[in-house]
Amino acid sequence: MSSWTLQQVAQHKTPESCWVIIHNKVYDVTEFLPGHPGGAEIILKYAGRDATSVYDPVHPPDALDKNLPLSKHLGSLDSKSIDAVAKERSNVSRTKDEIRVEQARKRMPPLRRILNLLDMENVAGQILSHKAFAYYSSASDDEMSTYSWPCHNSNIENARAFTRYFFKARVMRPVSHCDPSTTILGFKSSIPVFVSGAALAKLGHPDGEVNITQGAFKESIIQMVSSNASLSPATVMEAAHPTQTLFFQLYKHRNDELAEKRVRDIESLGYRAIFLTVDAIVPGNREKDVRSPWILEEQETGPVYHLEADNDLSKEDVNIFGTAGALIANDDRDMTWEKTIPWLRKISKLPIVIKGIQCVEDAVLAAEAEVDGILLSNHGGDSHFLPSSALPPLEVLYSLRQHRPDIFSRVEGGVRRGTDVVKAVCLGARAVGMGRPFLYAQSAYGVDGVVKIVQILKREITTAMRLVGASTVEDLKPEMVQRVDWQTYIHPKL
């Protein structure tokens, strides 16, 4: 293969001829521009020069190998240019946000002082880059449906839903031995919690999803790996223990051939189940994520004010989809019960879970389609695509228990997000999926942070089980939970 100088690469910085440098290798991405999920603008911003720093946090290392024909792999930089790029990287002035992050990491508390998941997010909120925290914590529209640590909006309904459910604890029951372990799709888990699919872990830590994989193994819980992970499915599986159970969250590509190849690859790699995501077919209105570049820009250069030239409404220069929207740009928007489930059954023998059920009616359809499980979700955890008025998953779970309890004997179920795992299990959930807490934990403390989160959850779950009179997960019953709608007392006017 050829070697190139920086001057030669710099000549190719237009939409008609666009080259970029990634890890000292040169790629012709001209034909890829129109189909880039994040839009052509971000690539053109780095056209003709080194783009490694923006490529690495959001792309698996093998993304170029999989998505770019070998003919577009043009070769490497020559030795002189490699030295020049290295010197340029070392001389780049750090941004104010990078300096803030570096200082914040020096002030992190000892891990032993993290007592709950809120403590962990508070640390992560300090040490994460603005871009990473905006992506991890943002939600759709007014963020009312999203559960977030802490509750940035007092109207966050996923969090408030749990406050409407109260335990009817039983006493005088033997609970000195308390076992919170369970099975999910037949696979063992030390607690009724699994890591739900969450994208772009490398935004928070250079080791990314591997931190979660190794921490999950140490504490014997199951990890679901996202289609949009910042590491490839193969890389994550290579980091896993040979006995470890990993599930895969599938965002189905609109091209059936590409989707089939991904499913077959996942199966051959050793993933044990497919969670088909059905509630994120279009990007939501994640305004915090969209605003993030503007905030960083103004940190460096000062405020930006209105100019008369800005009145040209035909000029669209805002990436309204943010970081998250780009991740699902090529997903299938025409999935149906009649077509998609049989298609997936035909090409794979893995258990199929439908991720994104939001009402009783669709839970019934999932059962009739004979899937192996449903994951109740309004996508209010890691990606937040749905509008802010989506029903909290716990309320959907309660409706299922009230109106179609037979569903629980036909498919396994789980809550997408929630702090009160025991309440959800009482109402019929097999386990609770959590995404954000593990992103925050691995971002701040790596593998040890993930281990700490599971240990906290295990302690809290075991304590709650003992207090309600349950020595095993099987002892948690619907009659142990009561839903109460508190009415605000309004003082009468005199």
Side-chain angles (χ1 to χ4, degrees):
M1 299 180 72
S2 302
S3 61
W4 302 91
T5 66
L6 288 175
Q7 292 75 20
Q8 288 173 315
V9 177
Q11 295 174 14
H12 301 269
K13 55 182 179 180
T14 68
E16 292 72 32
S17 181
C18 180
W19 293 8
V20 293
I21 301 166
I22 306 290
H23 292 297
N24 298 323
K25 294 183 179 180
V26 182
Y27 301 91
D28 181 353
V29 295
T30 310
E31 296 179 5
F32 187 60
L33 289 176
H36 182 236
E41 293 77 13
I42 184 63
I43 298 180
L44 289 170
K45 183 178 179 180
Y46 291 89
R49 58 195 184 99
D50 182 56
T52 305
S53 62
V54 293
Y55 173 88
D56 272 353
V58 296
H59 294 88
D62 60 352
L64 286 168
D65 294 332
K66 288 187 173 181
N67 296 297
L68 208 62
L70 286 177
S71 61
K72 304 301 180 181
H73 296 227
L74 304 181
S76 302
L77 292 176
D78 64 14
S79 58
K80 184 177 180 181
S81 296
I82 290 174
D83 292 340
V85 168
K87 183 177 180 180
E88 181 181 352
R89 289 174 186 160
S90 63
N91 291 334
V92 171
S93 299
R94 291 184 300 164
T95 66
K96 291 180 179 179
D97 193 55
E98 289 171 337
I99 294 171
R100 175 194 63 78
V101 168
E102 181 182 41
Q103 294 173 344
R105 282 198 172 272
K106 295 178 181 178
R107 300 192 296 268
M108 287 170 53
L111 188 56
R112 66 180 180 275
R113 295 192 178 183
I114 303 298
L115 300 181
N116 54 52
L117 274 60
L118 175 56
D119 287 350
M120 187 66 80
E121 183 183 356
N122 286 337
V123 174
Q126 297 298 315
I127 60 88
L128 281 168
S129 70
H130 181 84
K131 177 180 179 180
F133 193 68
Y135 170 68
Y136 288 168
S137 66
S138 65
S140 210
D141 295 336
D142 296 321
E143 305 190 352
M144 291 177 61
S145 289
T146 306
Y147 185 78
S148 175
W149 303 91
C151 298
H152 301 294
N153 184 324
S154 62
N155 291 321
I156 293 174
E157 290 300 327
N158 279 2
R160 292 181 61 186
F162 283 88
T163 68
R164 293 191 282 270
Y165 293 82
F166 294 81
F167 286 122
K168 296 169 62 179
R170 302 303 304 271
V171 298
M172 298 293 287
R173 293 187 173 187
V175 291
S176 60
H177 173 74
C178 187
D179 180 9
S181 66
T182 189
T183 60
I184 305 172
L185 298 175
F187 299 101
K188 293 181 180 180
S189 177
S190 63
I191 56 176
V193 171
F194 62 94
V195 183
S196 197
L200 305 185
K202 282 178 67 176
L203 281 178
H205 191 288
D207 292 338
E209 287 78 9
V210 163
N211 285 328
I212 300 176
T213 305
Q214 295 177 347
F217 173 73
K218 288 185 176 182
E219 290 300 313
S220 300
I221 69 169
I222 298 171
Q223 177 189 13
M224 181 209 303
V225 179
S226 172
S227 282
N228 296 317
S230 49
L231 296 173
S232 70
T235 300
V236 175
M237 186 58 77
E238 288 170 4
H241 189 274
T243 64
Q244 188 169 357
T245 298
L246 295 180
F247 297 154
F248 190 79
Q249 177 198 13
L250 177 66
Y251 284 83
K252 182 185 175 298
H253 198 284
R254 60 192 175 192
N255 183 311
D256 282 353
E257 291 184 4
L258 294 178
E260 180 175 343
K261 183 180 185 306
R262 162 152 278 193
V263 170
R264 295 191 185 282
D265 287 346
I266 291 308
E267 192 164 7
S268 66
L269 285 169
Y271 286 83
R272 308 304 292 270
I274 293 174
F275 283 64
L276 177 65
T277 298
V278 296
D279 63 338
I281 54 175
V282 294
N285 188 27
R286 294 166 51 102
E287 293 173 356
K288 186 190 297 185
D289 194 17
V290 174
R291 288 192 179 102
S292 177
W294 306 340
I295 293 173
L296 292 173
E297 176 186 350
E298 294 192 8
Q299 281 183 0
E300 301 300 319
T301 62
V304 175
Y305 299 109
H306 173 73
L307 299 173
E308 288 298 323
D310 293 337
N311 289 339
D312 183 4
L313 296 180
S314 65
K315 181 182 179 182
E316 178 59 69
D317 59 354
V318 175
N319 177 14
I320 198 65
F321 296 138
T323 303
L327 300 177
I328 62 169
N330 294 315
D331 287 357
D332 190 348
R333 300 179 183 178
D334 295 314
M335 292 186 290
T336 67
W337 296 107
E338 298 79 11
K339 176 184 68 174
T340 308
I341 305 304
W343 167 84
L344 192 51
R345 284 283 187 214
K346 182 179 178 181
I347 63 174
S348 175
K349 295 181 179 179
L350 293 177
I352 297 173
V353 177
I354 302 300
K355 180 181 181 296
I357 297 296
Q358 300 166 75
C359 64
V360 173
E361 293 82 358
D362 277 343
V364 172
L365 290 176
E368 291 174 349
E370 298 184 347
V371 299
D372 300 281
I374 59 175
L375 188 58
L376 305 182
S377 166
N378 62 13
H379 227 111
D382 57 335
S383 296
H384 333 299
F385 291 103
L386 283 186
S388 60
S389 54
L391 195 66
L394 191 65
E395 296 291 357
V396 180
L397 180 65
Y398 179 76
S399 295
L400 268 174
R401 173 57 63 188
Q402 292 296 106
H403 302 294
R404 290 299 301 266
D406 58 297
I407 296 298
F408 293 96
S409 64
R410 297 165 65 183
V411 297
E412 287 193 12
V415 179
R416 175 60 184 88
R417 295 283 297 171
T419 58
D420 204 333
V421 175
V422 176
K423 290 179 183 179
V425 175
C426 282
L427 289 173
R430 171 66 69 171
V432 172
M434 294 185 173
R436 272 184 179 155
F438 292 101
L439 286 176
Y440 292 142
Q442 71 92 27
S443 296
Y445 296 98
V447 175
D448 291 340
V450 175
V451 169
K452 182 69 172 182
I453 285 295
V454 182
Q455 291 174 347
I456 290 171
L457 289 168
K458 186 173 184 178
R459 170 175 53 81
E460 293 177 345
I461 291 168
T462 304
T463 299
M465 287 175 61
R466 283 182 165 136
L467 289 174
V468 300
S471 61
T472 68
V473 170
E474 287 71 26
D475 295 331
L476 296 171
K477 306 294 183 182
E479 54 267 26
M480 289 180 168
V481 175
Q482 180 173 331
R483 189 182 192 279
V484 179
D485 284 312
W486 297 110
Q487 298 295 325
T488 303
Y489 178 72
I490 301 175
H491 291 280
K493 294 181 179 179
L494 296 177

